[in-house]
Amino acid sequence: MYAEVIVDVSAYPIDRPFDYLVPEVYQAIIESGSRVKVPFGNRQVLGYITALKNETDVPTDKQKPIGELLDIEPVLTQEMLAMTKWLKRQTLCYEIDALQVMLPSAMRAKYEKMLRIVDVNAELPESVQALFQHKDSVELKADESKELLSIIKKLVKAKILVLETSVKQKTAVKKVRMVNIEPDVDRLQMIYESISNQAKKQKDVVKWMMDNVGTCIASTDLLKLLNTSNVVLNAVIEKGAATFEMEEVYRDPYAERTIDVSTKHSLTDEQQLALNEIIHSYNKHEARTFLLHGITGSGKTEVYLQAIERSLSDDKEAIVLVPEISLTPQMTNRFKERFGSLVAVLHSGLSVGEKYDEWRKIKRGEVKVVVGARSAIFAPFQNIGLIILDEEHEGTYKQDDSPRYHARDVAIWRSEFHNCPVILGSATPSLESYARAKKGNYTLLTLENRARGQELPQVSVIDMREQLKNGNRSMFSLELAEAIHSRLEKEEQMVLFLNRRGHSSFVLCRDCGTVVECPNCDISLTYHRHQERLKCHYCGEESRVPNICPECNSEHIRFFGTGTQKVEEEIARLFPTARVLRMDVDTTRKKGSHEHILNSFGEMKADILLGTQMIAKGLDFPNITLVGVLSADTTLHLADFRAAEKTFQLLTQVSGRAGRHDKKGEVIVQTYSPEHYAIQFAQHHDFIAFYHQEMINRKQFTYPPFSYVVLIQFTHEDVLMTAEYSHKAAKWLNENLSDTVEIIGPTASSISRVQNRYRYQCLIKYKKEPMLPDILQQLIRIYRTDWMKKGILMSIDLNPSSIM
Ligand code: ADP
Ligand code: ZN
Ligand code: ZN
């Protein structure tokens, strides 16, 4: 018997399974989907069995046996193995990357360098003897034994020692020490009597055990309960009153939190209609994709909850994806409240061990609902009834590195495997999804009203150019400052939002709002700080940074951007009594800080919550009556064809934070481009009008959804090499792709150097090119066999979420 094994050897251009001989002992138990240790070159590596078979092309003298079978139960289901093949084709990744993305990181291999003595008769220098400490093999930690390396090298050359790489397993199951109390009460009585009266503490423990014969208790609990020490407990155990036993437990990240039971709402008519359609399709086992377009606060989450309830009643499982930043306790508690311990929450704040525990609970079917960020789409459920993507338009659903998958595509693939519906929910669906719904590829469901009947907040747009003309140089317009003062007086809360996405590197005139754009592409030129130049990332157009505005000749034209810290200082100056909580990447680095800030705000410990993108979503506090957007322009002028869409989405999301309960909400948006349609339509909460306008623009420049885009990026330490190979690739693509395909670039990327590697990129734009996957595969082959050796790194991203 032979096993096809995909090996975990990174940075090595192989992407095919290797055949290994299955040793006699494993033949009856081995299954595909299990992990193995296999010899590869002169070391042992981790591998995944993707198939078993009775024949191989490998000649007998070259056949190698599997070293060790690591899993008796396969860790990868048949569904996952099939999904791997699909992911590999879909995203052009290595199969090993596709396999590993489905498993918690605790299950991936760690390699350690082991040093082993082979010539036991040789004299070892004292320093090396000290390293071994009488063992015959030790782990070699390069940083700890630096001075020894040259001696070790000599000994290895002399064949006295060998250096081996071995696979280290990190799948530590957490165990606690349990105390098993003797079941025979007479025996305990005897032990009790044998203990001298001096040892009163021991007697107390045994006395207690006599009342609890035959039971089992965690030793830490017992110590706490009896207020006694380990020494005492060990003494009575030695006398035979109980035994110790290790028991497997899960790390529960929510153990400390109490959760209220939520009341189920009776649905509004709109909600009921939407739910009916979903359940109808669920009952028919349809793999149908629904686009649930509902304004903020329309009760989409309630629809999800009740749809899940239906699927749970059949004992089926549900996956709920939310963007990482909205994975707030406020959000996840709604699921915990409704479904209690049937819910597992997966987010980046969990430790490796905690993630592993949650994964095992899912695999064993001990939970039925998973709420998590992007990678939770791979939850190892085997009987899925429903998949939900909340905020489906979010760019974070696309993974930026290999495998570059979109969670939406995986969701739809899995729904076809399980014959179950998918719900894509959003107040601002992506253009692609809405267009698909319009064409009938998805089923459109609409919620037009807020669930509790509240009005959407009044949105005012403030023209910052006017402020400057009237002598106000502050980042707060008079209107916003006035609104803040009035909230402080009334003791109502507010959210101030600073729009900073990626790096906002464009040049803006503060007098007339002009942003310097590419003459060919209708996209902002990107400011390159290094060379002090402006560049277009679509066509390569380049120009110098103007000193005066090309429109109005003003000198107030410059690179644009402010940080939250600067805003905080300004608030302190203008509103000295205001209590401010700041939430951005700097203040949320520590685990739990996110939750801590939100709790403080919920407990009214601050008047103002100041933050970036991460406060745009999921907040639901009754006392927020004002939302201020300090500058709407940053996303508006990103060098990305989705700039307007992203701005519209963001403004709609932040506006949705105000006046969600009884108090009416107000939103103030400051901008240098008040006439821009993204801002205008966001002001009037008009997604449909925005959609139509944006589709006209996309069509004119054939951007998605009127075309598909592929981004190819090249990096190298040497800028000339980067340029040379990106040109080679572009030339090769030009020769091999049909004439209808547009190849844009190569140009330097907007972040032109990262970690001392220069970055260039090409963009492929096409409508129909059936041969494209094959041609890209060929390009990858050229890259892996030739360019990689020169130190070039190339990445291909199909349908990238951003092209910067
Ligand atoms: P969305 O997810 O669309 O933004 P939510 O599900 O968060 O909306 O609902 C907004 C608010 O309305 C929540 O506080 C929720 O508890 C409440 N809600 C939802 N559905 C109903 C309903 N049918 N009746 C009353 N309140 C509801
Ligand atoms: Zn100007
Ligand atoms: Zn251009």
Side-chain angles (χ1 to χ4, degrees), residues 374 393-400 406 432 501 640-643 645-646 709 711 797-804:
R374 182 180 60 229
H393 60 276
E394 271 296 316
T396 55
Y397 284 131
K398 176 74 197 291
Q399 177 151 302
D400 277 340
H406 198 297
E432 284 94 332
R501 186 138 195 163
D640 193 321
F641 65 85
R642 292 198 178 91
E645 185 181 2
K646 284 178 178 162
V709 173
L711 179 69
D797 194 350
L798 292 108
N799 308 313
S801 66
S802 148
I803 57 149
M804 294 174 61

Short mmCIF file of all heavy atoms in Angstrom, two decimals, residues 374 393-400 406 432 501 640-643 645-646 709 711 797-804:
data_model
loop_
_atom_site.label_atom_id
_atom_site.label_comp_id
_atom_site.label_asym_id
_atom_site.label_seq_id
_atom_site.Cartn_x
_atom_site.Cartn_y
_atom_site.Cartn_z
N ARG A 374 -12.59 35.59 9.26
CA ARG A 374 -12.40 34.90 7.98
C ARG A 374 -12.12 33.41 8.04
O ARG A 374 -12.81 32.60 7.42
CB ARG A 374 -11.28 35.61 7.23
CG ARG A 374 -10.99 35.06 5.86
CD ARG A 374 -9.87 35.82 5.21
NE ARG A 374 -8.63 35.78 5.96
CZ ARG A 374 -7.90 36.86 6.27
NH1 ARG A 374 -8.26 38.04 5.86
NH2 ARG A 374 -6.80 36.73 6.97
N HIS A 393 -19.45 42.92 2.44
CA HIS A 393 -18.64 43.78 1.58
C HIS A 393 -17.23 43.99 2.11
O HIS A 393 -16.38 44.55 1.42
CB HIS A 393 -19.31 45.16 1.48
CG HIS A 393 -19.44 45.82 2.82
ND1 HIS A 393 -20.47 45.55 3.67
CD2 HIS A 393 -18.62 46.68 3.47
CE1 HIS A 393 -20.30 46.24 4.79
NE2 HIS A 393 -19.19 46.93 4.69
N GLU A 394 -16.97 43.56 3.34
CA GLU A 394 -15.70 43.89 3.98
C GLU A 394 -14.48 43.28 3.28
O GLU A 394 -14.45 42.08 2.98
CB GLU A 394 -15.72 43.40 5.43
CG GLU A 394 -16.27 44.41 6.38
CD GLU A 394 -15.39 45.65 6.46
OE1 GLU A 394 -14.17 45.51 6.52
OE2 GLU A 394 -15.95 46.76 6.45
N GLY A 395 -13.48 44.09 3.07
CA GLY A 395 -12.26 43.64 2.41
C GLY A 395 -11.50 42.59 3.20
O GLY A 395 -10.73 41.82 2.63
N THR A 396 -11.73 42.52 4.51
CA THR A 396 -10.97 41.57 5.33
C THR A 396 -11.39 40.12 5.06
O THR A 396 -10.74 39.21 5.56
CB THR A 396 -11.15 41.85 6.83
OG1 THR A 396 -12.54 41.86 7.12
CG2 THR A 396 -10.55 43.18 7.19
N TYR A 397 -12.46 39.90 4.31
CA TYR A 397 -12.83 38.53 3.96
C TYR A 397 -11.90 37.94 2.92
O TYR A 397 -11.94 36.75 2.64
CB TYR A 397 -14.27 38.45 3.46
CG TYR A 397 -15.27 38.54 4.59
CD1 TYR A 397 -16.35 39.41 4.54
CD2 TYR A 397 -15.13 37.74 5.71
CE1 TYR A 397 -17.26 39.49 5.58
CE2 TYR A 397 -16.02 37.81 6.76
CZ TYR A 397 -17.09 38.69 6.69
OH TYR A 397 -17.98 38.75 7.72
N LYS A 398 -11.09 38.81 2.32
CA LYS A 398 -10.11 38.32 1.35
C LYS A 398 -8.78 38.18 2.08
O LYS A 398 -8.32 39.13 2.70
CB LYS A 398 -10.00 39.33 0.20
CG LYS A 398 -8.95 39.00 -0.84
CD LYS A 398 -9.41 37.84 -1.74
CE LYS A 398 -8.25 37.25 -2.49
NZ LYS A 398 -7.70 38.10 -3.51
N GLN A 399 -8.16 37.02 2.01
CA GLN A 399 -6.85 36.87 2.66
C GLN A 399 -5.77 37.45 1.77
O GLN A 399 -5.74 37.21 0.57
CB GLN A 399 -6.58 35.39 2.95
CG GLN A 399 -5.20 35.18 3.55
CD GLN A 399 -5.14 33.97 4.48
OE1 GLN A 399 -5.86 33.89 5.45
NE2 GLN A 399 -4.28 33.04 4.16
N ASP A 400 -4.87 38.20 2.41
CA ASP A 400 -3.83 38.91 1.66
C ASP A 400 -2.64 38.04 1.28
O ASP A 400 -1.89 38.37 0.39
CB ASP A 400 -3.27 40.06 2.50
CG ASP A 400 -4.15 41.28 2.37
OD1 ASP A 400 -4.91 41.32 1.39
OD2 ASP A 400 -4.08 42.16 3.23
N HIS A 406 -11.14 34.14 -0.93
CA HIS A 406 -12.18 35.00 -0.41
C HIS A 406 -13.17 34.13 0.35
O HIS A 406 -13.64 33.13 -0.19
CB HIS A 406 -12.89 35.74 -1.55
CG HIS A 406 -13.65 36.94 -1.06
ND1 HIS A 406 -14.71 36.82 -0.19
CD2 HIS A 406 -13.49 38.26 -1.27
CE1 HIS A 406 -15.17 38.03 0.10
NE2 HIS A 406 -14.45 38.92 -0.54
N GLU A 432 -20.04 44.07 -6.55
CA GLU A 432 -20.04 42.76 -7.19
C GLU A 432 -21.25 41.93 -6.75
O GLU A 432 -21.96 41.36 -7.57
CB GLU A 432 -18.76 41.99 -6.86
CG GLU A 432 -17.53 42.44 -7.61
CD GLU A 432 -16.72 43.47 -6.83
OE1 GLU A 432 -17.30 44.21 -6.01
OE2 GLU A 432 -15.49 43.54 -7.05
N ARG A 501 -7.22 54.86 6.40
CA ARG A 501 -7.18 53.49 5.90
C ARG A 501 -5.88 53.28 5.17
O ARG A 501 -5.51 54.08 4.32
CB ARG A 501 -8.34 53.28 4.96
CG ARG A 501 -8.47 51.87 4.52
CD ARG A 501 -9.91 51.51 4.54
NE ARG A 501 -10.08 50.08 4.47
CZ ARG A 501 -11.20 49.49 4.81
NH1 ARG A 501 -12.20 50.20 5.26
NH2 ARG A 501 -11.32 48.20 4.69
N ASP A 640 -7.34 53.57 -5.67
CA ASP A 640 -7.97 52.28 -5.81
C ASP A 640 -9.34 52.51 -6.46
O ASP A 640 -10.04 53.44 -6.08
CB ASP A 640 -8.14 51.67 -4.41
CG ASP A 640 -8.51 50.19 -4.46
OD1 ASP A 640 -9.31 49.81 -5.34
OD2 ASP A 640 -8.00 49.44 -3.64
N PHE A 641 -9.71 51.64 -7.40
CA PHE A 641 -11.00 51.88 -8.05
C PHE A 641 -12.17 51.70 -7.09
O PHE A 641 -13.29 52.10 -7.38
CB PHE A 641 -11.17 51.01 -9.30
CG PHE A 641 -11.22 49.53 -9.02
CD1 PHE A 641 -12.42 48.94 -8.66
CD2 PHE A 641 -10.08 48.75 -9.09
CE1 PHE A 641 -12.48 47.58 -8.39
CE2 PHE A 641 -10.13 47.40 -8.83
CZ PHE A 641 -11.33 46.81 -8.47
N ARG A 642 -11.92 51.11 -5.91
CA ARG A 642 -13.00 50.96 -4.94
C ARG A 642 -13.06 52.13 -3.95
O ARG A 642 -13.78 52.06 -2.95
CB ARG A 642 -12.84 49.66 -4.15
CG ARG A 642 -13.06 48.41 -4.99
CD ARG A 642 -13.33 47.19 -4.11
NE ARG A 642 -13.57 46.02 -4.93
CZ ARG A 642 -12.62 45.18 -5.33
NH1 ARG A 642 -11.37 45.39 -4.95
NH2 ARG A 642 -12.91 44.14 -6.07
N ALA A 643 -12.32 53.21 -4.22
CA ALA A 643 -12.24 54.31 -3.26
C ALA A 643 -13.62 54.87 -2.91
O ALA A 643 -13.95 55.03 -1.73
CB ALA A 643 -11.33 55.41 -3.80
N GLU A 645 -16.55 53.49 -3.30
CA GLU A 645 -17.35 52.46 -2.65
C GLU A 645 -16.98 52.33 -1.18
O GLU A 645 -17.83 52.27 -0.30
CB GLU A 645 -17.13 51.12 -3.38
CG GLU A 645 -18.01 50.00 -2.85
CD GLU A 645 -17.77 48.67 -3.56
OE1 GLU A 645 -16.90 48.61 -4.44
OE2 GLU A 645 -18.46 47.70 -3.21
N LYS A 646 -15.67 52.32 -0.91
CA LYS A 646 -15.22 52.17 0.47
C LYS A 646 -15.66 53.37 1.31
O LYS A 646 -16.02 53.21 2.47
CB LYS A 646 -13.70 52.00 0.53
CG LYS A 646 -13.30 50.59 0.11
CD LYS A 646 -11.81 50.37 0.12
CE LYS A 646 -11.52 48.92 -0.27
NZ LYS A 646 -10.13 48.72 -0.70
N VAL A 709 -9.86 41.44 -12.33
CA VAL A 709 -8.54 42.02 -12.16
C VAL A 709 -7.63 41.00 -11.49
O VAL A 709 -8.05 40.26 -10.60
CB VAL A 709 -8.64 43.29 -11.28
CG1 VAL A 709 -7.28 43.81 -10.94
CG2 VAL A 709 -9.46 44.37 -11.97
N LEU A 711 -3.72 40.93 -9.77
CA LEU A 711 -2.57 41.74 -9.37
C LEU A 711 -1.35 40.82 -9.22
O LEU A 711 -1.40 39.82 -8.52
CB LEU A 711 -2.87 42.42 -8.04
CG LEU A 711 -1.76 43.30 -7.46
CD1 LEU A 711 -1.56 44.55 -8.30
CD2 LEU A 711 -2.08 43.69 -6.02
N ASP A 797 -2.42 37.57 -7.22
CA ASP A 797 -3.65 37.73 -6.45
C ASP A 797 -4.83 37.91 -7.40
O ASP A 797 -4.94 38.93 -8.08
CB ASP A 797 -3.52 38.94 -5.52
CG ASP A 797 -4.60 38.97 -4.46
OD1 ASP A 797 -5.56 38.18 -4.57
OD2 ASP A 797 -4.48 39.79 -3.53
N LEU A 798 -5.69 36.90 -7.50
CA LEU A 798 -6.86 37.00 -8.35
C LEU A 798 -7.96 37.73 -7.60
O LEU A 798 -8.21 37.42 -6.44
CB LEU A 798 -7.34 35.61 -8.76
CG LEU A 798 -6.38 34.88 -9.70
CD1 LEU A 798 -5.67 33.76 -9.01
CD2 LEU A 798 -7.13 34.37 -10.91
N ASN A 799 -8.59 38.70 -8.21
CA ASN A 799 -9.59 39.53 -7.57
C ASN A 799 -9.10 40.11 -6.25
O ASN A 799 -9.66 39.84 -5.20
CB ASN A 799 -10.89 38.75 -7.33
CG ASN A 799 -11.38 38.07 -8.58
OD1 ASN A 799 -11.43 38.70 -9.64
ND2 ASN A 799 -11.70 36.80 -8.50
N PRO A 800 -8.05 40.89 -6.28
CA PRO A 800 -7.50 41.43 -5.03
C PRO A 800 -8.50 42.40 -4.39
O PRO A 800 -9.30 43.02 -5.08
CB PRO A 800 -6.26 42.19 -5.51
CG PRO A 800 -6.54 42.56 -6.92
CD PRO A 800 -7.36 41.42 -7.47
N SER A 801 -8.42 42.51 -3.05
CA SER A 801 -9.36 43.41 -2.38
C SER A 801 -8.88 44.85 -2.50
O SER A 801 -9.63 45.78 -2.35
CB SER A 801 -9.51 43.02 -0.92
OG SER A 801 -8.30 43.23 -0.25
N SER A 802 -7.60 45.01 -2.76
CA SER A 802 -7.06 46.34 -2.94
C SER A 802 -5.87 46.20 -3.88
O SER A 802 -5.22 45.18 -3.92
CB SER A 802 -6.63 46.90 -1.59
OG SER A 802 -5.53 47.75 -1.74
N ILE A 803 -5.62 47.24 -4.66
CA ILE A 803 -4.54 47.09 -5.63
C ILE A 803 -3.37 47.99 -5.30
O ILE A 803 -2.58 48.35 -6.14
CB ILE A 803 -5.04 47.38 -7.06
CG1 ILE A 803 -5.63 48.78 -7.11
CG2 ILE A 803 -6.03 46.37 -7.51
CD1 ILE A 803 -5.45 49.42 -8.44
N MET A 804 -3.28 48.39 -4.01
CA MET A 804 -2.21 49.32 -3.64
C MET A 804 -0.92 48.59 -3.34
O MET A 804 -0.84 47.76 -2.52
CB MET A 804 -2.64 50.13 -2.46
CG MET A 804 -3.78 51.03 -2.86
SD MET A 804 -4.44 51.91 -1.48
CE MET A 804 -3.03 52.83 -0.96
#
